[in-house]
Amino acid sequence: MFKIQTFNKISANGLERLPKALYQVADQVEAPDAILVRSADLHKLSVNHELKAVARAGAGTNNVPVAELSKRGIVVFNAPGANANAVKELVLAGMLMSVRNLADAVAFTRGLDAADPELEHKVEDGKKKFVGTEIVGRTLGVIGLGAIGVKVANAAKGIGMRVIGFDPHMTVDGAWQLSSDVDKAGSVSEILAAADFISIHVPLNAATKHLINAQSLGAARDGAVLLNFAREGVVDEEALLAALDSGKLARYVSDFPTARLLRHPKVLSFPHLGASTLEAEENCAVMVVDQLRDYLENGNITNAVNFPSMRLSRVGAQRLCVANRNVPNMIGQLSHVLGEAKANIAQMQNASRGELAYNIVDLDQPVGPEVVESVKAIEGILAVRVI
């Protein structure tokens, strides 16, 4: 039986996909085989030797110590695209709120006295302060054309906006899904110079930290609206405040409130609502649970953030799943150990991703624990599983 530890409330529709005959699921589990998590910070987690996988019910994995887990051959799964529609709708809402002054208008009406005989007059007189503009015909620049960025771009195009996008690492699948009417930009600066609205959809890493900074904002169109539903660190807060105070930016719409931005009159901030819909939470849970189950039961990998994707139909009597550092002669050494043990390989697949590699080996006859220990003893082997 596999033991699964949950660190947040996971959608019941996802957990129901783990058969009770095969899985024990609880928030307190000794020596779990896998972890299911949403937002809990796992960086101080004490990792047990039995842990085989961590599944994050969402796209980002900043709350997961991916590098440390990778060193131990532990696969980290996420759910790319499962919350894309929820974030897309929030981006559209943010654009509309920013140009129609909706938050200020709501605050105004809530401040009115319901018993005031002049209520109707004050409503009509007060609305003059909240005159806005329409988004149809205006230009949206999308930085990052992954699952979310593509949906944002297509939706904006569908309501009559001009859309330009930039992503130097766009996937083939993303290109197929992106509307052919979306114009392609060659740089972030090109997006900023041309767009009335800029929506960011990139992961936070060394390359994207402070992607939006004083230099890039200097190229922005005066009075533009910046929307950040990616990660807080993608935008340099000092440069952002300067751009807001100077009027370079008309508004900043963010899903990441900070102390300095919380009450800024030109900032609309939400309490990290991007994936906070019942549908998104369910989609994320179902996706990662299915991926986790396929890995634990069959060794297949789909949507891991650290190891390569691999799927192989099972043949033979026993399956070995081997995670290793991506160094020369690993396959040769693995084959040699199995050959010495007179174990015939029915089929074998290998793939690498950066510094890591993964192997699935199906054997015609089972091997004993001493052979598994010999495989583990090969320098560079991180983890070995027998299924």
Side-chain angles (χ1 to χ4, degrees):
M1 176 173 283
F2 295 110
K3 295 186 287 185
I4 311 295
Q5 184 173 7
T6 59
F7 276 78
N8 299 101
K9 184 178 180 181
I10 306 296
S11 168
N13 287 337
L15 296 180
E16 286 173 359
R17 302 172 81 88
L18 297 170
K20 291 182 179 179
L22 291 177
Y23 292 89
Q24 174 193 349
V25 183
D27 58 3
Q28 295 293 328
V29 177
E30 185 176 347
D33 294 287
I35 287 171
L36 276 169
V37 63
R38 287 176 56 205
S39 58
D41 189 348
L42 302 185
H43 284 278
K44 295 182 180 179
L45 177 72
S46 179
V47 179
N48 61 285
H49 293 292
E50 290 80 6
L51 189 66
K52 302 169 182 65
V54 172
R56 157 81 164 103
T61 53
N62 299 73
N63 59 318
V64 180
V66 177
E68 291 303 312
L69 295 174
S70 298
K71 293 176 184 177
R72 302 179 63 165
I74 297 170
V75 180
V76 179
F77 295 96
N78 69 342
N83 61 6
N85 188 70
V87 179
K88 175 204 77 178
E89 292 185 0
L90 195 57
V91 170
L92 296 178
M95 281 197 292
L96 290 167
M97 289 182 69
S98 69
V99 295
R100 295 301 299 271
N101 302 307
L102 297 180
D104 294 336
V106 168
F108 167 75
T109 56
R110 284 186 173 169
L112 295 172
D113 182 356
D116 189 342
E118 296 294 314
L119 177 62
E120 185 175 347
H121 171 74
K122 288 184 178 179
V123 167
E124 290 301 313
D125 186 58
K127 74 179 184 181
K128 300 172 186 176
K129 297 184 291 186
F130 308 110
V131 174
T133 59
E134 299 178 13
I135 62 175
V136 172
R138 302 183 76 185
T139 299
L140 169 66
V142 181
I143 301 173
L145 292 167
I148 296 172
V150 165
K151 282 188 177 292
V152 169
N154 290 347
K157 194 67 188 177
I159 59 176
M161 299 185 76
R162 180 196 172 218
V163 183
I164 56 175
F166 172 72
D167 191 335
H169 308 295
M170 190 172 187
T171 65
V172 173
D173 286 344
W176 276 107
Q177 294 171 27
L178 184 66
S179 168
S180 60
D181 293 327
V182 174
D183 297 325
K184 313 304 187 295
S187 67
V188 171
S189 295
E190 187 178 338
I191 291 278
L192 289 164
D196 302 299
F197 301 86
I198 304 103
S199 191
I200 311 166
H201 301 286
V202 297
L204 177 60
N205 52 43
T208 61
K209 183 175 175 61
H210 291 176
L211 178 69
I212 305 300
N213 51 42
Q215 182 178 355
S216 56
L217 286 171
R221 180 179 291 186
D222 289 346
V225 175
L226 179 64
L227 302 106
N228 180 11
F229 291 88
R231 283 292 184 268
E232 177 189 334
V234 174
V235 177
D236 181 344
E237 193 168 277
E238 287 289 340
L240 171 68
L241 285 166
L244 290 169
D245 292 341
S246 70
K248 169 62 77 171
L249 290 179
R251 286 274 194 178
Y252 178 58
V253 185
S254 170
D255 212 15
F256 314 102
T258 68
R260 298 179 69 188
L261 298 176
L262 201 59
R263 289 177 176 79
H264 194 287
K266 293 185 178 180
V267 173
L268 292 173
S269 57
F270 309 127
H272 206 180
L273 293 179
S276 294
T277 67
L278 296 176
E279 294 86 351
E281 291 177 6
E282 180 176 320
N283 291 342
C284 288
V286 167
M287 180 182 286
V288 295
V289 165
D290 285 350
Q291 293 165 180
L292 181 60
R293 183 178 175 187
D294 194 22
Y295 176 68
L296 292 176
E297 296 178 26
N298 301 304
N300 294 323
I301 297 179
T302 304
N303 290 330
V305 301
N306 52 350
F307 282 91
S309 294
M310 186 177 296
R311 178 174 293 276
L312 193 63
S313 297
R314 295 184 66 170
V315 298
Q318 189 182 64
R319 169 166 284 191
L320 296 184
C321 300
V322 182
N324 60 273
R325 294 199 301 270
N326 185 20
V327 295
N329 198 33
M330 291 302 298
I331 297 176
Q333 293 184 79
L334 177 58
S335 300
H336 177 74
V337 169
L338 294 174
E340 287 287 304
K342 305 272 192 282
N344 189 55
I345 298 175
Q347 65 176 357
M348 180 176 182
Q349 190 172 55
N350 166 273
S352 62
R353 179 175 180 176
E355 298 179 351
L356 301 174
Y358 185 69
N359 307 268
I360 294 179
V361 186
D362 284 339
L363 303 173
D364 280 334
Q365 57 278 132
V367 296
E370 69 283 354
V371 177
V372 176
E373 290 303 314
S374 295
V375 173
K376 290 181 179 179
I378 299 172
E379 186 175 356
I381 296 292
L382 302 174
V384 181
R385 294 179 56 217
V386 179
I387 302 177

